Amino acid sequence: MITYIIRRTLMSIPILFGITILSFAIMKAAPGDPMALMMDPTISAGDREKFIEKYGLDEPEHVQYLKWLGNMVQGDFGTSIVRKGTPVTDLIMARLPNTLLLMLVSTILALLISIPLGVLSARRPYSKLDYGITFTSFIGLAVPNFWLGLILIMFLAVNLGWFPTGGVMTLNADFSLWDRIHHLILPAFVLATADMAGLTRYTRSSMLDVLRQDYMRTARAKGFKENRVVYKHGLRNGLLPVITIFGLMIPSFIGGAVVTEQIFSWPGLGKLFVDSAFQRDYPVIMAMTVISATLVVIGNLVADILYAMVDPRIEY
């Protein structure tokens, strides 16, 4: 397993390298002059040239890329154009805890709800309960995150006043754990909805196949209680395809966070990415692209590792 992890990690390096090249080329080809946002409109031509030289924009593009890549490997993503020279690393580290908290809570919420519902649906196939869970799952898959978020804000936050409309905490208020949880409930639920619905369907399909296997009938013939047969003997095998899908879903939480954080004004990486895209803050966009690509690689690797942990028969 250790050898496999090392080999997969080394294989991911050229993939990430290719992503940085494409991202840098796209940024350079994008229309507009983001440097104009940093300079005084009344600046003289000589001062403008000094300014461009300071940031290395007068050098060939391949030289600019190599310098950026060398700094990136050392953890330096450059400085923000719009935020007047603020290091991009500082911007990311300031927003990262909020995004990680939102992703962690939404992931746990999706797992705690989807897996039991999927098992329950598989144990009573084609019943009214199964049809109800299936119908609800299809609605969860079909409803866009931005629409669901706006509807929840309108009814639960504005009309009923049960939840705040956005933000990570009440402004100018002392720290309160309940206040943080209160602000977290709606965005975490919205972010978990689509993945929750998909995991429920995958769990149901996988468990339906497992429950028909011969070893399950053998376990029942030995006199084991049905819950023990299902959850001890069946669920572990039934989760194998679900784990694979879940590993591939990890990057989608970042994509979902971009929309969810913007709707709920959640100060995380997703909102930072959207704001930077509108403001053409290219260093921040490049850093976020590299981080998202890294999460895709990590998600696939985590899925393979969990796959082997759940099923000892699998060897790499």
Side-chain angles (χ1 to χ4, degrees):
M1 174 62 74
I2 301 299
T3 304
Y4 172 77
I5 295 175
I6 295 175
R7 187 170 67 250
R8 281 290 300 272
T9 303
L10 294 176
M11 290 172 59
S12 65
I13 293 177
I15 297 176
L16 295 176
F17 177 71
I19 291 174
T20 60
I21 294 177
L22 290 175
S23 301
F24 191 86
I26 292 173
M27 293 299 104
K28 285 297 181 180
D33 183 14
M35 298 304 296
L37 299 173
M38 296 182 63
M39 293 185 292
D40 189 344
T42 61
I43 192 173
S44 64
D47 291 337
R48 179 182 175 87
E49 291 180 1
K50 292 180 181 179
F51 191 86
I52 292 175
E53 183 179 354
K54 175 184 176 181
Y55 285 92
L57 297 178
D58 57 335
E59 298 175 339
E61 293 185 356
H62 68 277
V63 175
Q64 296 180 37
Y65 168 75
L66 292 176
K67 286 185 176 180
W68 175 86
L69 183 63
N71 293 331
M72 187 269 293
V73 173
Q74 301 176 35
D76 181 10
F77 288 98
T79 57
S80 171
I81 296 175
V82 176
R83 295 163 181 83
K84 305 303 180 183
T86 304
V88 175
T89 304
D90 293 347
L91 292 174
I92 292 176
M93 295 307 297
R95 304 288 189 100
L96 183 61
N98 291 331
T99 295
L100 290 179
L101 175 63
L102 181 60
M103 290 179 59
L104 177 63
V105 174
S106 61
T107 301
I108 294 175
L109 186 64
L111 292 176
L112 290 180
I113 294 178
S114 61
I115 292 179
L117 285 180
V119 173
L120 186 61
S121 182
R123 293 181 65 177
R124 300 176 61 180
Y126 311 111
S127 63
K128 292 182 178 179
L129 176 64
D130 181 31
Y131 286 131
I133 294 175
T134 301
F135 179 73
T136 306
S137 299
F138 283 138
I139 292 178
L141 289 171
V143 173
N145 279 0
F146 71 88
W147 186 86
L148 178 62
L150 292 175
I151 292 298
L152 292 180
I153 290 175
M154 181 185 300
F155 287 100
L156 299 184
V158 177
N159 294 345
L160 299 177
W162 291 354
F163 298 96
T165 56
V168 70
M169 60 181 294
T170 303
L171 295 177
N172 302 322
D174 295 332
F175 175 82
S176 170
L177 181 59
W178 166 244
D179 182 61
R180 293 295 182 92
I181 296 175
H182 198 206
H183 283 77
L184 180 62
I185 292 175
L186 283 186
F189 176 77
V190 170
L191 183 58
T193 300
D195 292 307
M196 190 189 308
L199 287 173
T200 300
R201 297 301 302 156
Y202 284 118
T203 303
R204 177 190 181 276
S205 177
S206 179
M207 286 299 297
L208 275 177
D209 182 64
V210 168
L211 292 176
R212 301 190 184 101
Q213 298 299 316
D214 292 338
Y215 64 86
M216 296 293 289
R217 287 193 289 268
T218 302
R220 293 188 183 96
K222 291 181 178 179
F224 293 139
K225 294 182 178 180
E226 183 64 18
N227 284 339
R228 182 180 179 183
V229 173
V230 172
Y231 290 103
K232 184 176 181 180
H233 297 275
L235 185 58
R236 188 165 185 173
N237 292 318
L239 286 180
L240 292 177
V242 178
I243 288 174
T244 304
I245 298 299
F246 177 74
L248 300 177
M249 284 181 175
I250 291 178
S252 70
F253 282 105
I254 286 289
V258 171
V259 178
T260 304
E261 290 181 3
Q262 190 70 16
I263 292 174
F264 289 95
S265 298
W266 187 267
L269 295 181
K271 192 173 188 304
L272 176 64
F273 182 82
V274 173
D275 294 341
S276 300
F278 280 114
Q279 297 167 345
R280 292 182 300 206
D281 198 347
Y282 295 153
V284 179
I285 297 174
M286 283 292 299
M288 293 296 300
T289 303
V290 172
I291 292 174
S292 300
T294 303
L295 285 175
V296 172
V297 174
I298 293 176
N300 283 271
L301 182 59
V302 168
D304 287 344
I305 294 174
L306 292 177
Y307 204 80
M309 291 175 61
V310 172
D311 191 350
R313 298 170 300 176
I314 298 176
E315 295 181 0
Y316 293 105

